[in-house]
Amino acid sequence: MTGSWICEKHTEGYAVKWKIKDILHEEQTRYQKLAVVDTLEWGKALLLDDALQISEKDEFIYHEMISHVGMCTHPCPERVLIIGGGDGGTLREVLKHQQLNAVDLVEIDERVVENSKRFFPALSCGFTDRRLNLHIADGVHFVKETSSRYDVIIVDSSDPLGPATPLFNLEFYQDVYKILKADGLLVVQSESPVFYGEVFQSVYRQINTVFPLTRVFLAPIATYVSGPWSFTMGSKKYNPRELAKKPGDLGYLKYYNEGIHRAAFCLPLYIKEMLKN
Amino acid sequence: MTGSWICEKHTEGYAVKWKIKDILHEEQTRYQKLAVVDTLEWGKALLLDDALQISEKDEFIYHEMISHVGMCTHPCPERVLIIGGGDGGTLREVLKHQQLNAVDLVEIDERVVENSKRFFPALSCGFTDRRLNLHIADGVHFVKETSSRYDVIIVDSSDPLGPATPLFNLEFYQDVYKILKADGLLVVQSESPVFYGEVFQSVYRQINTVFPLTRVFLAPIATYVSGPWSFTMGSKKYNPRELAKKPGDLGYLKYYNEGIHRAAFCLPLYIKEMLKN
C-alpha cells in the first residue's frame, strides 16, 4: 500500500487526501467499517466509515478541548459521563482532573475500544483506571435509563451519519438534561460551522431549547475539515466563559490553557450570525 | 469542465481537492501561472502556480485579519504600505480606516491586479480610491529605495516558492524596519504552523531579530490548509495584544472584532514551543 492515498470527500465540492504508508487493520464491525492506517506525516489514524476520526499527531487538540473546557467550567466535576469516545482520548483527558471520583464511558461499538487498545496505546491508557466504568451500550438508551446523576456529560461522537445519528436529536439532549445534577453541564462536538453548517446550527438550536446557558467554542483541528471545528456547551448554572479553576494542575497540556479557554468562546460575526435564527 | 476537480498538493502527504464548475481564465504571466476558476461551493477563486489564493466565500477572514489587527494596534495609521496584495482585498480593508491619508500598494505582477479588476469586483473596489498609489514593482527593491516612511506595513504575499520568495528573508525585514516610523509596525502572513512549520518558525525568528516586539496571531481559513493560519507582527512600540482603538467604526466586518483581536494572540503550547528555539 506504500504511496497510496486515502480520500475523504467531505461535501460535493471538497475532499481531502492523506498519503498512507500502510493499512494496518480493516474490519466491518456490527455498526461501521473500521480501519487503522499509518499515514506518511500524521502517524497512525483511525477511520470509521472512511472518515478520519483521529491521528496520532493532532488528536490532542480535539481531546483536550472537548474535555477541559467543560471540566474547568465546573468547579468540582466528581462524576462524569462520556458518550462515545471509544478510542479513549477523551477519557485520558478527563482522568487528569483530581476531583473525579467516577466516569462512565458508553461506547456502542466494542471494536473501537479493542482496536484502540491494540493500535493506540497513548489514547487508550485510561481504560485500566479504577475510576472507569466502561459500558458497551447504546448511549441513547443509557441516558434514558440510568439512575446516575452527573456533573459533566461529554458527547464525543462521530458525524451524524452512522451510529451517532440519534445523538444529534432534541430528545437526546432532553434526556441528558434530566440526568445532569442541578449545576451540571453538557459538552458536545458540533461539527464544522463552515462545511456542515446545518448540523452546527441544529445542535445549537436544540441545546439552546433545553439549557438556560448555551455557548459555542472553537478550535482548528488539522485532520478534520479546514476552518474552525466547533463544540457546543449547554450549562444549567455555570457561565461557560469563566474558568472555575486554573488548568495548571492538569499536567502537560499541548493545546488547552487559560487563555485558550476564553479565546475559544470569541466568535467571529459570520458564526454569530449562524446562531441567530 | 463541469464536474472536474482542482487538486492542491500541500505536502508529500496531504492534498485538498475543490470541485469546479468552470475555468474562467488561464494565463502565464511574466512571473507565474494565473487561473480564475468557478468552484462548486466557494464561488470564484484565484490560483497562482496552482495554489488557491482566495475564494469569494471566505476571503474576508484572511483580509480582515491581515489588515485590522495591525491597523487597530496602531493608534493613528495615516500612511500604509502593502507589499503584494494585488487582488485588492487587503487594500479594501485598510481603506476602511478613517485616519488613512495615503496607501502605497506594490504588486510585482500587474496581471494579478488586472484579473482581480475583471473577475473580483468585490475585492478590487479600492483600486479607484484617491488615497492609493499603485506601484507595479518588486517589493524588495521598493522597500530598499523608497524615501517614504510608514506607520504600518503589510506583507500580503503568496507562499515562499515563486516570486514571493525574497519577501521571507532577514534582509527584507531589516529594510522594512528602516522605512517604518519610530512607532511603526509590520504584519506579514506567515503560513501554516502545522503544515509549513519551518517557514513559520523562520519568519518569527527573523522578525524577532529585527523588532523589539514580535507576536504571532492565528485564524482558521477554510480555503487554506487545515488547522490555524498564522500572521506575525513586528512592532517598534505598540503592544500587538492591545487595541489602540475600537473596531466599531470600520463598518460591517464578518470576522474581526475586539474579542477576536485578543483571542487571536492566545496560542496553544504546541505553537508556543515552536517559537522557542
Side-chain angles (χ1 to χ4, degrees), chain B residues 145-191:
Chain B
E145 288 161 18
T146 183
S147 59
S148 298
R149 293 296 174 265
Y150 298 94
D151 300 301
V152 172
I153 296 177
I154 298 172
V155 182
D156 177 10
S157 72
S158 49
D159 301 332
L161 298 166
T165 310
L167 303 176
F168 289 80
N169 287 338
L170 180 63
E171 191 182 345
F172 172 68
Y173 299 128
Q174 288 167 333
D175 290 340
V176 161
Y177 187 91
K178 288 177 197 158
I179 63 166
L180 278 168
K181 294 182 193 168
D183 62 350
L185 60 88
L186 163 72
V187 177
V188 308
Q189 77 84 359
S190 46
E191 302 287 317

Side-chain angles (χ1 to χ4, degrees), chain A residues 11 13 15 17 19 41 254 270, chain B residues 11 13 15 17 41 254 270:
Chain A
T11 68
K17 290 167 68 177
K19 196 177 243 183
E41 293 172 358
K254 285 167 75 180
Y270 85 97
Chain B
T11 68
K17 289 166 68 178
E41 294 172 358
K254 285 167 74 181
Y270 85 97

